[in-house]
Structure formats: C-alpha cells, structure tokens
Amino acid sequence: MKPSRITECNEWILARFPLTKLWNEHMTHYYAPKNFNFWYFFGSLALLVLVNQILTGIFLTMNYKPDAKLAFDSVEYIMRDVNWGWLIRYMHSTGSSAFFIVVYLHMFRGLLYGSFKHPRELIWIFGMLLFVALMAEAFMGYLLPWGQMSYWGAQVIISLFSAIPVIGDDLSLWLRGDYVVSDATLNRFFAFHVIAVPLALVMLVFLHIVALHEVGSNNPDGIEIKDSKDPWGHPVDGIPFHPYYTVKDIVGVAVFLLFFATVIFYMPEMGGYFLEHANFIPADPMKTPEHIAPVWYFTPFYAILRAIPDKFAGVIGMGGAIVVLFLLPWLDRSPVKSIRYRGGIYKKALALFVISFLALGYLGTQPATPTATILARIFTAIYFGFFLLMPLYTRWEKTKPVPKRLTTVHSLEEQLPALIEEITVLKPAATEIGHTAFKGSSFTRQPNPEGIRNVITRLVKKAIGSLD
C-alpha cells in the first residue's frame, strides 16, 4: 500500500474514532505531578497483573473442565500434559497473589498521602468497589481447582451467609445451587469467575481511570497542581504522563517481572501461602481438613471473623472491616492530605493499623487457639479504632504548614551513590599475577563500620522525628 493510501486510511479512521484525541487527553496532554515516588508504581502494576490474569485465564479455560468429577484431573492435565500448561497455571496462581500485593500497597499509598480526600472521593469509591470485586473474583476462582482446601474453604465461607437474618439461608442456597458445595456450585463459580466478575472489574478499572484523569493525580505533598498554571494553562509543577511516567513505569514493570519470574520458576507455592499443600489433594466431602484457612490475602478478615464469638456478629465484623474503608473520605477531618504534613497522632495510628493488619493476616493462617483468639480481638479493636476514632484524632492533631508548590525530595536513586560512599571505604588490595614484575595493586570496597553506624543513627533520628 502506498504512503498516501496509508495516510488516507489513517485519516478515515480518525474521522470516525477519536484515537488521537483519547491518546492526547489521557497520555501526552495529561499532566501529572513531577514528584511521584516509589509508591506510585503500584497502580500501573495492578493494571499489568489484571491483563496477565485475563490472558492466562483464557488459556486455562481452554483445557479446564468445570465438573466435580473432572475439575481436579483437568488441572493436573494442564500441569502435566498441556504444552507450557504448568507455566500458564503458575502465572495465573502467582498473579492472583501478586494482584493483592500491589493492590494492598496501592491502597496503603492512599492512606499515606490522603488520595481519598477531596476532590478524589469518587476515585476512592471506585477503587474500593474494585477491591470488593477482586475479592469475589479470587474467592470464586479459589474453588475451581477442586482441591481439599478449595472445597472446605468454600463450604465454610458460604455457610457464613446463612447467619444473615431472614435471607441468609436462601442466599447460601442460591450461592451453592445445592444444599452442599457440589457440581452446581462449581459451575456457578466458574461462570462468575470467567465471565461476570471480570466484566465488572474491567468496567470499574475504566471508571477508576476516567475519574482519576478528571480531577488529576494526587502527589506526595498533597498539593493540587492545577492551582498553579503557566501562561499556556499547564500546571507548573506537572509533566506530561507520556513519555515521562510511561518510561518510569517500564522500569517498575521490569523490576516487578524479575520478582514475579523468580516466584514462578523457583517457589510457585511460596511455602504453601500461594498454593496450599492441601489443594494438591482432590476434594473429599467425607474428610474435613484439620485446619481450614483461606488464602493469605483473605486471612486478616478471616481473623476478625473468628475473633468475635457470635456467628452473626462475626459476619458483621468481617463485612464492617471492608465497609469502613468506603467511609474513609468522610472519617478523615484533617485539613491536610499528605502524611508529610500531618501530626504525630496520625502517623502513630497508621503504624498501629499496619501492625494490626499484618498481625491479623498471620493469625488468620493459624489454628484458633485461646491465645491466638485473644490477640486477634486486640488487633481487631486496633483495626476498627483506626477508622472509628479518626474523626477525633485527625481534628485534634497539630499539622505542619503545607507549601504552595511541590517540594523536591531526593529519590533513593539520587541518594544511593553518596550512601555507598559513606558506608564503605576503599582499601588497597595487592594482587600477584605470575612473576613479581607483574605485581600490581587494586582497590576494593569494604564495609565502613563508623559510616554504617552514622547512617543507622541518622535514619533512626529521622524516623523518631517524623512522629512528632
């Protein structure tokens, strides 16, 4: 085809579909704050993992059988007989855990820099709906291998819905499609996992990004860059998303894929956290596992459920732990967004919240001993206290002055050369190669104890000072 024909074809398409306009509005002419840091990688990584899950899921469905008698064997067939089936399955199973890792870190960044506050409340709501849809997608996909833990985990979780007054029994029956987890349940979960919930996820991702680009991205300073513009109407503290942040995200993707591939090829089960050992045993309705626990990314909420003695109250507590996240934009009464300018109360509260969430995650994987139950109740109280007391302590705490323009904080990449110089020292090392005439000297870097002590002391002082 001649160049003129290609141009005419291109113009014909653009006259009917605004591809260039979309690209300019959301990439080259979309100005993002120029001080994005490490925490801003995880949004794009979540999108990458979503694409991975969709593509690998398509290939898995080509050989998977949603039948109670054939499901487990079809997974074994994929692993053993399908060309590269083991790789696709591990990419999908590892991808599910990676999805929750990047999403949890993405949500934590919102807590750090106040990305849920005005004018981004709707972005946060769409993000939380995404999180709920992701949990539903993971739960329904968890049953599909039809292993022991898949079967009994689904049995336990679905039975919780029966605790809801009036509609509980009917809701549980509808979810299962039978009075016990059976072939009907497997088919229903397969339909939701492969068709219904992915469609909802894609739609919510679209709404999340559109809402984000309408009001603009937040930044580590929590300053609205649209308030300061140059004569051409561009934010003076902003840079075009493309090519600057697309290139930066490519670096983040490369580092992420390095860790992702390491897990896939060397530790796909991750010690039983990503793929439980009991799930390598076919589901047996007549034999209950000694300890039933969900996958690690559900365990904080599972620990909250077990910490409350009453079944219905436990379900309310587990659901409330998620619902309270939706209310975050209206619970936080602080006049500033970023943790950089908040008082010490919020910083300490956030630290306690992170500790409680991690502790609940660990306790959810352990048997429900009396000691574990008491600890779970303590950490559950801390978890809910972070949110329910937020209207009080965010209003009382003394905040720091917020600058009108973005501040420049040296990134780790910029500080690394000076840091290496400080914690190491060059020492000559004599080398001999054959004859004495060839003797030479070279220098090697060795640890500098005094420099290491200085760096650690400085970091500790900075951490303590940041809590004031």
Side-chain angles (χ1 to χ4, degrees):
M1 187 180 289
K2 296 180 179 179
S4 60
R5 294 291 184 130
I6 296 175
T7 303
E8 290 176 4
C9 183
N10 185 48
E11 291 175 352
W12 184 89
I13 294 172
L14 293 178
R16 290 156 179 81
F17 184 76
L19 183 62
T20 302
K21 181 183 176 183
L22 286 171
W23 177 263
N24 289 337
E25 287 181 355
H26 296 284
M27 297 295 286
T28 55
H29 294 169
Y30 173 67
Y31 278 73
K34 63 184 180 182
N35 65 340
F36 278 178
N37 56 20
F38 162 82
W39 292 106
Y40 287 82
F41 279 120
F42 298 108
S44 58
L45 290 179
L47 188 60
L48 171 70
V49 180
L50 175 62
V51 172
N52 171 77
Q53 294 303 93
I54 292 173
L55 293 179
T56 55
I58 290 171
F59 284 104
L60 287 174
T61 55
M62 294 178 183
N63 296 282
Y64 176 76
K65 303 289 185 184
D67 185 294
K69 296 179 180 178
L70 302 173
F72 185 86
D73 290 337
S74 69
V75 174
E76 291 300 304
Y77 171 73
I78 291 169
M79 292 292 293
R80 298 172 187 272
D81 295 331
V82 175
N83 289 332
W84 301 105
W86 63 272
L87 178 59
I88 296 171
R89 197 267 176 113
Y90 281 154
M91 286 177 67
H92 198 75
S93 63
T94 305
S96 63
S97 288
F99 211 158
F100 276 93
I101 290 171
V102 297
V103 165
Y104 279 137
L105 291 172
H106 190 57
M107 293 167 67
F108 178 66
R109 189 258 291 169
L111 294 176
L112 278 178
Y113 299 133
S115 300
F116 51 85
K117 292 175 70 69
H118 175 81
R120 298 178 180 84
E121 300 94 335
L122 194 58
I123 300 173
W124 180 260
I125 296 299
F126 283 139
M128 283 308 306
L129 290 172
L130 262 169
F131 178 60
V132 173
L134 180 61
M135 295 179 79
E137 176 76 354
F139 172 62
M140 291 170 183
Y142 184 59
L143 178 65
L144 301 188
W146 207 245
Q148 269 288 73
M149 197 58 70
S150 294
Y151 179 88
W152 287 100
Q155 187 79 282
V156 169
I157 298 301
I158 294 175
S159 68
L160 296 175
F161 289 95
S162 64
I164 301 174
V166 184
I167 64 169
D169 291 331
D170 291 333
L171 181 60
S172 298
L173 183 62
W174 180 81
L175 285 171
R176 283 191 298 257
D178 201 342
Y179 293 101
V180 294
V181 174
S182 63
D183 186 72
T185 317
L186 183 60
N187 277 274
R188 290 187 180 210
F189 278 35
F190 179 76
F192 278 114
H193 183 75
V194 173
I195 301 172
V197 183
L199 287 175
L201 279 170
V202 171
M203 181 188 71
L204 287 168
V205 167
F206 172 76
L207 294 174
H208 189 64
I209 294 174
V210 169
L212 171 68
H213 287 198
E214 178 62 27
V215 299
S217 301
N218 191 29
N219 56 78
D221 282 320
I223 299 169
E224 298 300 324
I225 63 170
K226 291 182 179 180
D227 294 342
S228 302
K229 295 184 177 180
D230 60 21
W232 297 275
H234 300 146
V236 292
D237 286 324
I239 54 177
F241 189 84
H242 177 78
Y244 297 103
Y245 283 121
T246 49
V247 172
K248 184 176 181 179
D249 283 345
I250 289 172
V251 176
V253 166
V255 175
F256 169 79
L257 290 178
L258 180 65
F259 287 100
F260 191 65
T262 301
V263 174
I264 289 173
F265 292 113
Y266 294 101
M267 52 187 86
E269 295 99 7
M270 192 58 77
Y273 286 99
F274 287 9
L275 288 172
E276 297 92 334
H277 301 142
N279 252 7
F280 290 91
I281 303 170
D284 185 357
M286 305 301 293
K287 184 179 180 181
T288 308
E290 183 179 354
H291 172 53
I292 300 174
V295 198
W296 69 267
Y297 37 78
F298 292 141
T299 52
F301 308 104
Y302 184 62
I304 292 173
L305 169 72
R306 293 193 314 186
I308 302 172
D310 182 71
K311 184 178 180 180
F312 177 62
V315 172
I316 294 295
M318 183 176 66
I322 299 170
V323 171
V324 74
L325 290 165
F326 282 87
L327 305 177
L328 196 55
W330 297 276
L331 294 174
D332 189 352
R333 304 298 177 85
S334 176
V336 302
K337 295 187 181 79
S338 176
I339 197 170
R340 291 180 177 179
Y341 308 108
R342 287 182 183 263
I345 299 176
Y346 181 82
K347 294 174 183 178
K348 294 181 180 74
L350 183 59
L352 286 173
F353 170 76
V354 172
I355 292 170
S356 69
F357 189 79
L358 295 175
L360 287 168
Y362 171 74
L363 292 170
T365 65
Q366 304 302 307
T369 61
T371 303
T373 302
I374 292 172
L375 289 173
R377 288 172 182 170
I378 293 171
F379 289 119
T380 298
I382 295 172
Y383 179 97
F384 282 103
F386 173 74
F387 296 103
L388 300 181
L389 298 177
M390 187 177 284
L392 299 177
Y393 66 75
T394 54
R395 184 181 295 169
W396 292 341
E397 70 176 359
K398 185 179 179 181
T399 60
K400 300 175 184 177
V402 180
K404 294 182 179 180
R405 295 279 303 276
L406 297 188
T407 59
T408 302
V409 177
H410 293 294
S411 64
L412 180 62
E413 297 92 330
E414 295 171 325
Q415 298 179 40
L416 197 57
L419 194 63
I420 292 174
E421 289 287 339
E422 187 173 1
I423 64 175
T424 60
V425 62
L426 279 175
K427 290 187 177 181
T431 58
E432 295 186 10
I433 306 176
H435 195 271
T436 54
F438 294 98
K439 284 186 179 180
S441 62
S442 62
F443 291 88
T444 60
R445 283 201 172 273
Q446 298 182 11
N448 179 13
E450 184 178 354
I452 294 172
R453 281 195 299 270
N454 292 338
V455 169
I456 293 174
T457 303
R458 191 163 64 247
L459 290 174
V460 170
K461 287 182 178 179
K462 185 177 180 181
I464 294 173
S466 68
L467 296 175
D468 295 334

